Amino acid sequence: MTFVAAIAALVALVPQDAPSQQPLPPAAVLPPVDVTAAPVQAPNSAPAPIAGEDPMDRVTCRSEPVVGSRFNSRVCMTRREWAQRREESQNLARRLDVQNSNRGRVYAPTNSGSE
């Protein structure tokens, strides 16, 4: 019942003789749009490289998840640094894979006695 009372109080506060909004003009009244104008660059596309600039030195930003948070973190590095980071991650994954693949392995006993 308190919810209904709160709604009734809000309705009572709204002025009854509020000026009405004027309708928008029809679309035929608006000026035409020139579609032959210069194309707009997409927001996510990379700009053209500058002459003489090494493309590996261009800074690229990415959004990465943060452990223990709902928010992402923006990380900016050059393409060379991103490639180095990717290579280090792949090397770590390979090394851990090899270590874990040998974890439960049972080795055959060796004959070290004399015959």
Side-chain angles (χ1 to χ4, degrees):
M1 283 302 229
T2 57
F3 179 72
V4 174
I7 297 294
L10 286 174
V11 169
L13 292 176
V14 175
Q16 299 299 327
D17 56 333
S20 63
Q21 294 181 349
Q22 298 202 357
L24 296 175
V29 177
L30 298 175
V33 177
D34 183 18
V35 294
T36 60
V40 177
Q41 189 174 16
N44 291 338
S45 66
I50 300 172
E53 180 184 3
D54 185 10
M56 293 301 285
D57 289 333
R58 297 197 76 169
V59 175
T60 305
C61 296
R62 297 180 185 171
S63 183
E64 294 187 343
V66 178
V67 175
S69 174
R70 293 184 184 182
F71 300 103
N72 290 336
S73 173
R74 185 177 174 143
V75 180
C76 298
M77 291 189 273
T78 63
R79 291 181 180 183
R80 183 173 284 116
E81 290 170 330
W82 283 115
Q84 180 181 3
R85 184 176 179 189
R86 181 176 50 250
E87 185 178 336
E88 289 172 357
S89 295
Q90 290 173 349
N91 288 339
L92 175 63
R94 278 190 221 104
R95 191 173 72 236
L96 291 174
D97 189 41
V98 168
Q99 288 175 352
N100 288 334
S101 66
N102 292 328
R103 180 165 290 183
R105 189 169 289 181
V106 177
Y107 296 98
T110 58
N111 279 338
S112 60
S114 61
E115 279 194 50

